[in-house]
Amino acid sequence: MIYARVAGTGSYLPGNPVTNDDLVARGIETSDEWIVERTGIRSRYLAAPDVTSSQLAYEASLRAIEAAGCKPGDIDLIIVATSTPDFIFPSTATLLQARLGIVNGSPAFDLQAVCAGFAYAISTAEKFIRSGGTRRALVVGAEVFSRILDWNDRGTCVLFGDGAGAVVLEASEAPGILASAIHADGSHNPILCVPGQINRGEVTGDPFLRMDGQAVFKFAVKVLADVAREVADLGGVSLDEVDWLIPHQANIRIIQATGKRLGLSMDKVIATVSRHGNTSAASIPLALDEAVRDGRIQRGQKVILEGIGGGFAWGATLLQF
Ligand code: ACO
């Protein structure tokens, strides 16, 4: 049996933290108290105007590759989950491949599932490894969400930030990923979207993120609890045996409500949203990397990663670290 095992993790946040009070100082009609009470977010990172997702992905990938004890040339698959690619094309994954100096002809592609992007990408990479053709996959979530925020819409602009996280997955006889599940329901498209496009050289429609926050909240809590149970069942593990839950870092109240629905104490839930806000596809690997590097997540422990995003799309992975 070939497993896909996490060999190394890495992450990167650009520049300095921007606090809630910094946003107030920039003229946004909000307060630290409102943001902390409703979301748990205290700060986020905003990339400089010339910094792109592939650059953030590169920094996170270097750290993950180093942690995995391999070299860029050992990577034979790259999947970048992003909704804020550098360009319409080429893909951010091929830009990352070039930056890393990988010239072995191995595949590289982007995956678009918004905040569920990393859950989709790790599940996809696992299937490449299990089928025997891929030895080492670099799976990245990278975003510059600040570019698609309407800074005049205080209901959304305070929630998001920029960043990247990466893991190297490698083929292993020792257990790694035990189960994955991904889902989508396109009927929920309108409650979270960026409904614009480039058409004959012009932006048409609305190029900014729009959200019905309360509808998103309710939907997210339900499916995040359901999909965590689903992967635990598929992996033959009871929720009591799960050491850590790493939910998408959107909002501390969604994270707490999901933990409660699953009967998991917050001691077993990794929450980093207060520091970097919602970084969409980057949020799970950012949280994973922090918990690995600070020693909370140890080899052999069972971890559930789970994400949800616009579409709606959602998914989870149960792994033995
Ligand atoms: N600062 C101060 N006041 C604000 C702000 C702000 N940043 N934003 C909105 N308000 C005001 C509104 O104008 C409104 O004022 P009013 O009562 O005078 O009209 C009031 O606060 C309440 O607004 P609501 O939108 O009803 O606030 P709600 O309690 O629903 O909280 C929030 C909004 C935090 C977005 C909540 O709905 C939520 O957590 N939703 C989950 C959405 C989420 O996390 N999305 C992330 C992306 S989705 C994903 O990643 C899966």
Side-chain angles (χ1 to χ4, degrees), residues 10 57 68 92 115 118 120 147 152 156 158 170 185 188 256 262 287:
T92 305
C115 306
F118 189 80
Y120 266 60
R147 307 276 155 80
N152 294 312
T156 54
V158 302
E170 69 182 15
D185 180 348
H188 297 284
Q256 287 165 341
L262 292 168

Side-chain angles (χ1 to χ4, degrees), residues 40-56:
I41 297 167
R42 294 181 183 277
S43 60
R44 73 286 294 139
Y45 293 74
L46 303 175
D50 58 341
V51 171
T52 62
S53 286
S54 72
Q55 286 168 266
L56 303 183

Side-chain angles (χ1 to χ4, degrees), residues 28-31 34-35 38-39 41 114-116 145 153-160 192 209 211-218 220 224 248-254 278 280 307-310 312-313:
I28 296 168
E29 246 187 84
T30 189
S31 66
W34 192 97
I35 301 172
R38 310 268 174 138
T39 72
I41 297 167
V114 204
C115 306
F145 246 58
D153 175 7
R154 65 179 181 172
T156 54
C157 71
V158 302
L159 304 176
F160 296 89
L192 181 58
L209 183 148
M211 179 179 73
D212 174 345
Q214 292 179 6
V216 168
F217 194 105
K218 283 183 206 139
L224 286 173
H248 171 44
Q249 306 289 312
N251 177 316
I252 195 67
R253 287 163 57 227
I254 295 180
N278 183 347
S280 189
I308 174 159
F312 262 75

Side-chain angles (χ1 to χ4, degrees), residues 3-305:
Y3 287 98
R5 179 178 161 275
V6 175
T9 65
S11 61
Y12 182 73
L13 291 161
N16 296 314
V18 176
T19 65
N20 296 337
D21 285 335
D22 292 335
L23 295 184
V24 174
R26 290 180 189 195
I28 296 168
E29 246 187 84
T30 189
S31 66
D32 179 59
E33 192 189 1
W34 192 97
I35 301 172
V36 171
E37 189 190 315
R38 310 268 174 138
T39 72
I41 297 167
R42 294 181 183 277
S43 60
R44 73 286 294 139
Y45 293 74
L46 303 175
D50 58 341
V51 171
T52 62
S53 286
S54 72
Q55 286 168 266
L56 303 183
Y58 174 72
E59 299 295 339
S61 297
L62 286 182
R63 289 161 172 75
I65 289 167
E66 189 189 11
C70 64
K71 298 190 184 61
D74 299 326
I75 300 293
D76 55 7
L77 169 68
I78 298 176
I79 306 179
V80 176
T82 185
S83 299
T84 48
D86 293 23
F87 305 118
I88 292 175
F89 71 80
S91 70
T92 305
T94 57
L95 297 171
L96 174 62
Q97 188 194 47
R99 266 183 204 279
L100 288 168
I102 299 174
V103 288
N104 56 15
S106 57
F109 60 89
D110 287 3
L111 195 153
Q112 222 291 32
V114 204
C115 306
F118 189 80
Y120 266 60
I122 196 166
S123 162
T124 304
E126 187 226 353
K127 287 165 182 56
F128 275 81
I129 288 176
R130 266 195 194 241
S131 67
T134 297
R135 296 286 311 161
R136 259 187 215 92
L138 176 63
V139 186
V140 186
E143 303 280 14
V144 283
F145 246 58
S146 56
R147 307 276 155 80
I148 53 168
L149 299 177
D150 177 354
W151 288 95
N152 294 312
D153 175 7
R154 65 179 181 172
T156 54
C157 71
V158 302
L159 304 176
F160 296 89
D162 303 333
V167 304
V168 174
L169 277 187
E170 69 182 15
S172 161
E173 282 173 16
I177 292 179
L178 304 173
S180 283
I182 53 175
H183 298 283
D185 180 348
S187 66
H188 297 284
N189 263 314
I191 63 172
L192 181 58
C193 52
V194 181
Q197 56 181 233
I198 295 184
N199 195 339
R200 298 175 189 240
E202 309 260 316
V203 175
T204 60
D206 182 350
F208 295 121
L209 183 148
R210 302 298 172 202
M211 179 179 73
D212 174 345
Q214 292 179 6
V216 168
F217 194 105
K218 283 183 206 139
F219 189 81
V221 172
K222 180 183 180 321
V223 300
L224 286 173
D226 289 351
V227 79
R229 278 206 185 88
E230 182 182 354
V231 289
D233 286 351
L234 287 170
V237 165
S238 78
L239 283 170
D240 291 344
E241 294 172 90
V242 173
D243 296 290
W244 298 105
L245 175 71
I246 307 186
H248 171 44
Q249 306 289 312
N251 177 316
I252 195 67
R253 287 163 57 227
I254 295 180
I255 293 172
Q256 287 165 341
T258 306
K260 195 169 166 200
R261 248 176 129 107
L262 292 168
L264 288 177
S265 124
M266 278 302 283
D267 298 347
K268 290 177 138 196
V269 179
I270 307 286
T272 56
V273 65
S274 64
R275 263 186 348 101
H276 53 64
N278 183 347
T279 56
S280 189
S283 92
I284 295 173
L286 269 164
L288 171 67
D289 186 48
E290 179 171 315
V292 168
R293 285 177 192 261
D294 70 21
R296 273 178 289 174
I297 296 183
Q298 299 282 324
R299 282 284 170 206
Q301 289 188 325
K302 294 195 174 62
V303 181
I304 291 179
L305 315 173

